[in-house]
Amino acid sequence: MPLKGFWGKVDKIVAGYCKGIGVLTPVLVTFIVVFICVDIFCRSVFNKPINGSIEIVQCLIAAAGFAAMARTTYVDGHIRIDSLVNSLPPKVSFIVDVVMDILPMTVIPIVVYASLTRFTTSLADEEVTSIVEWPMWPFLFIMFLGYLGMLLAQIMVIVKRIKEGVRKHES
């Protein structure tokens, strides 16, 4: 059942944010595949690889992974081992689920702050990659956006789980 009122509005905003940043992942992965194919073609046909291709692919794969984290968290799509939790009584299972949703909140805000600090430092220092000398800040900005989305999404996962559990246990 969808959330209503204040949390419904917040959920729409977070869902839009997570979906928006999540769109980066398939775009980046498609670009990576095409780029690698072009690199292989250049190596095979012209015996001349694209300079810095490994570094470029590494940066893009990292950006794709960070972009995917927010959407994955929002849809509660991270891997879980539910065999133990499912064997517990419903109320205990609910409490365990809520605690497991709250535990990441002890770390995610710290990581969001650290990624923001890393991004701003890179921007101020004009840090570049070692081979192709691309600026690092766009990749670090995507990392920050991914972590920020993950934080917002985790909050919504907790709110939805609690509201769903309260509704289920009231009836």
Side-chain angles (χ1 to χ4, degrees):
M1 178 176 263
L3 296 171
K4 296 177 182 168
F6 171 76
W7 286 112
K9 291 175 185 174
V10 172
D11 189 42
K12 278 187 173 182
I13 293 168
V14 172
Y17 177 86
C18 292
K19 188 175 184 177
I21 193 166
V23 167
L24 278 175
T25 301
V27 169
L28 288 171
V29 170
T30 301
F31 179 78
I32 291 167
V33 169
V34 170
F35 181 80
I36 290 172
C37 290
V38 169
D39 186 46
I40 291 170
F41 178 79
C42 290
R43 282 176 197 266
S44 302
V45 174
F46 304 117
N47 198 25
K48 192 143 173 100
I50 296 172
N51 188 30
S53 61
I54 293 173
E55 183 178 68
I56 292 167
V57 168
Q58 287 173 339
C59 289
L60 293 175
I61 285 176
F66 285 114
M69 288 190 321
R71 181 73 177 151
T72 304
T73 303
Y74 182 79
V75 298
D76 202 16
H78 290 287
I79 297 172
R80 301 169 61 121
I81 302 173
D82 291 335
S83 55
L84 174 63
V85 176
N86 291 341
S87 65
L88 297 171
K91 286 187 179 182
V92 175
S93 176
F94 167 71
I95 291 168
V96 169
D97 280 340
V98 170
V99 169
M100 294 305 290
D101 288 338
I102 291 173
L103 278 175
M105 294 302 291
T106 60
V107 176
I108 296 173
I110 296 166
V111 174
V112 169
Y113 176 76
S115 66
L116 176 61
T117 304
R118 179 72 178 90
F119 158 66
T120 55
T121 303
S122 176
L123 189 60
D125 294 346
E126 297 179 4
E127 182 181 7
V128 296
T129 60
S130 58
I131 297 172
V132 293
E133 297 185 355
W134 280 1
M136 283 294 294
W137 69 263
F139 303 106
L140 295 170
F141 185 63
I142 292 171
M143 177 179 74
F144 165 70
L145 291 177
Y147 279 133
L148 179 62
M150 188 175 181
L151 173 65
L152 298 173
Q154 191 65 33
I155 291 168
M156 292 314 304
V157 166
I158 293 167
V159 168
K160 288 177 186 176
R161 177 105 52 222
I162 290 172
K163 289 207 175 256
E164 173 190 314
V166 167
R167 196 171 21 250
K168 191 184 297 182
H169 294 292
E170 281 179 348
S171 50

